[in-house]
Every structure is written in structure tokens, then in C-alpha cells.
Amino acid sequence: MTFPSLTAYQADALTEVVNVSMGTSVSELSELFNCHVSMTPPTLNVAKVTDIFSYIGDPDEETYTILSRFFGEMNGNFIFLFRPTKQDEQWRRFLQGQDALHTLKQIADTVCQAFTASFAAFTNLTVQKDHSQAAFDLLGAIVEYGFMEHTLLSDDLLFSQGTFSLNDFSLTGNLLFFPSPESLSLLFEKLGVNDDNH
Amino acid sequence: MTTIKQIGISDAFVTNGEVTLKTSGLGSCVAVILYDKRAQVGGMAHIMLPETPQNLHLSNISNNPNKYCDTGIEHLYERMLQAGADKHRLIGALLGGAEMFPFQNSSILHIGKRNIEESLRILASYQIPVVFQETGGSKGRTVSFDAVSGELSLYTTGETPIVFTI
């Protein structure tokens, strides 16, 4: 499958599933940390590998990152890029605390768990979340790892990108969702929007 | 005035002018630099994968030579000669090839190491000496190279930037 052949129906259906799954994740997050979490609806993008950073950001930016994989009937990666909403004292204290990476990982795990559960329920696919890994590194180095496996199958990358903010932590999380190209046929079949139908 | 040419993923550029070649956020990918100091011709490729798949012609993947070590270095070498470099004077530098995340059940396990090994093998086949190598580890890198001065700058996450003239 090449991504540019994605039909409008397929793009709409996938956007809807991702939107619902992210909404569920944000609710879980709000409950876990007992705070208000705001979110911008995720967008669905198809980009050439060579153009990917014009969508995501400066590859030289150093960010706190969590990478989490999911597998089963569908596989791929989640990448969380955590940034401060403002470089204030609250953010500085948070990062200096011993539990900063642990907290970020907890946020990422909560979102991934809820996202994959919602995604699986919506699509009737068996999908499980793998363990996650944390890093503080260059955005370019992190993100290329997240899609490198997919470039074995395609030059184009399909990904969604959404943002949520935890104001109590002065924290914004950018969630990138990279489904594997080989998973998409089955996904669209389950959603009833495979090529034969539309 | 020197201009900066940003080299993206699966991209390459050769210059014989006042251009600084830069590639940002190298993780498991490698940056291959070729240089002819006397001719002041320099080139850089940001390569993602070790080798071209054998069934490439059957797939939907385009044949971007800069994506793979085997075709990427060959392509860079040919462009260097076209720009006026002498093959007997070529020297090389290799950077990147980190293992960013140690996921075990992955088809890209040890991809950084494989990129390094394949690049060194191909550079050796062209008898190009590697005069600077900063590879492996688990941190991202940003590299820039000035083809006039031969000055190579390297930033590795969390470390002090270094400058080296090749």
C-alpha cells in the first residue's frame, strides 16, 4: 500500500478513530493526575521521509521523549515529545526533581494504554502496548527511530499528531502515532473502508 | 559569505564552494562525509539503512540512492568526482549510527551498528581512508562540515561540541 492512495473515506475513518482514542486517553490522564488536561484534535498527515521535520519541528531541538511500541494485528510506534508550556520556575523545579522522567513515562504509559484499548475496541483489532523507553535527546534522532522500520516498506509516512496540555505541570505533550504501513489494509477492512468498498 | 546547506534524511549534497554542509539530529542514521582538500570539494550524505533491498524493483519504494549505504556512498563518490575531486585524494569521515532505543523484537535491531559496518566496508572498497569517526553510543548527533576549511563540527547530546579539521 502506498499512502497517497488513501481515499477520503479512509482518511476520515482513521482520523475519527484516532480522535476518539486520544479523547479517551486524555480523560484517563485527567483522572490519574486529578487535573485539567486540554487537547487539540489530532491531525492525520502523509509526508515524504525527506519532508517529515517540516511537519514535526526542528530536528536540533532537545526534548524529553518517550517512545512506546504497540503490536498485535496492528503494529507501530507512539512518540511523545514533552515541552514546557513556559520556561517558568514550576517547570524548572519539575525537571530537577528525581521523578521527572518517571512522571513523563507514567503520562506516556497512561495515554498509550488508553489509546490502544480504545483503538482496539473501535476497530475490533487485537492491539497491545509494549513497554516504553525514555530519553532526553535531539528531536531528529528520536523521531527517525520511530519511523525507520516503516521506511523498509514505504517512502511515505502516515502519522497523526495531536497535543495535550497538563497545566498543573506546565507541560505540553505532542503525541505522534506511526502505524506500520503493513497494518493498514487490515485496519481499513475492519473499519469497512477498504479500497473495494470505496 | 558561507551559506549553510541543510542535508535532510536520505539526502546528499556536494559542493566546491563556500557552503557549510549540515545534518541535524542523526540517530541510528549515519552521516558520510567525503573530502578532497586540495580541490576543496566536499560532500555529505545522511543515510538511513544499510543496504538496498533485493526486491526493491517489486515494491512501492522509490529508488532514492541516498537512503541506503551501498547506493548512497556510490552516488556521493560519483558526484564528488563530477565536481572536480580526485579519487586518489579523497578522505572520509563517518558519524552517527547510535542505538537510540534497545527494543529487542524489532527488524531494525542494531541498525546503527549495521549502518556503520556497511559504510566502512564500502568506503574501504573505494580505498577511501576514514580520517575521522565518531559512531555508536546511544545519543543523537548534529554535524556540520565546511568544504573550504575542512572544519568538521560535532555536537552530541549532553556533551561539549567539538571541532576537528580533516
Side-chain angles (χ1 to χ4, degrees), chain B residues 72-159:
Chain B
I73 295 174
E74 179 188 359
H75 191 62
L76 186 66
Y77 175 82
E78 286 169 359
R79 288 177 67 185
M80 288 289 294
L81 300 191
Q82 285 165 10
D86 183 319
K87 66 180 180 182
H88 301 293
R89 291 197 302 256
L90 283 181
I91 55 175
L94 184 66
L95 306 103
E99 293 298 327
M100 299 303 298
F101 295 100
F103 285 111
Q104 292 302 311
N105 53 344
S106 165
S107 61
I108 56 167
L109 185 65
H110 305 313
I111 196 83
K113 185 175 173 221
R114 285 158 55 200
N115 279 333
I116 297 164
E117 289 172 352
E118 186 65 4
S119 296
L120 290 173
R121 186 187 71 75
I122 294 164
L123 290 168
S125 75
Y126 285 108
Q127 298 181 309
I128 298 172
V130 177
V131 298
F132 185 85
Q133 182 176 347
E134 186 67 35
T135 52
S138 59
K139 292 291 182 186
R141 297 174 171 95
T142 286
V143 184
S144 58
F145 179 67
D146 185 318
V148 173
S149 65
E151 195 173 277
L152 190 156
S153 304
L154 169 68
Y155 173 69
T156 305
T157 305
E159 297 179 11

Side-chain angles (χ1 to χ4, degrees), chain A residues 60 62 137 144 149 151 155, chain B residues 27-28 62 67 107 142 155 157:
Chain A
D60 267 329
E62 290 178 306
D137 215 311
E144 76 173 20
E149 201 165 7
T151 65
D155 284 326
Chain B
S28 304
S62 71
K67 189 170 168 183
S107 61
T142 286
Y155 173 69
T157 305

Side-chain angles (χ1 to χ4, degrees), chain A residues 134-192:
Chain A
F136 175 72
D137 215 311
L138 299 170
L139 186 149
I142 298 291
V143 173
E144 76 173 20
Y145 187 91
F147 63 68
M148 187 174 272
E149 201 165 7
H150 303 171
T151 65
L152 296 167
L153 302 164
S154 173
D155 284 326
D156 301 302
L157 299 169
L158 173 73
F159 65 100
S160 77
Q161 155 160 242
T163 305
F164 56 91
S165 299
L166 289 83
N167 294 332
D168 290 2
F169 292 82
S170 296
L171 183 68
T172 293
N174 192 8
L175 171 60
L176 303 170
F177 170 64
F178 285 95
S180 163
E182 62 192 346
S183 307
L184 293 177
S185 292
L186 181 59
L187 170 65
F188 290 135
E189 189 185 315
K190 292 280 188 179
L191 291 172

Side-chain angles (χ1 to χ4, degrees), chain B residues 45-97:
Chain B
H46 180 143
I47 298 171
M48 193 160 41
L49 298 165
E51 57 210 10
T52 309
Q54 289 184 344
N55 59 351
L56 184 70
H57 62 290
L58 300 174
S59 73
N60 289 318
I61 306 172
S62 71
N63 190 17
N64 175 357
N66 302 315
K67 189 170 168 183
Y68 309 99
C69 292
D70 49 2
T71 50
I73 295 174
E74 179 188 359
H75 191 62
L76 186 66
Y77 175 82
E78 286 169 359
R79 288 177 67 185
M80 288 289 294
L81 300 191
Q82 285 165 10
D86 183 319
K87 66 180 180 182
H88 301 293
R89 291 197 302 256
L90 283 181
I91 55 175
L94 184 66
L95 306 103

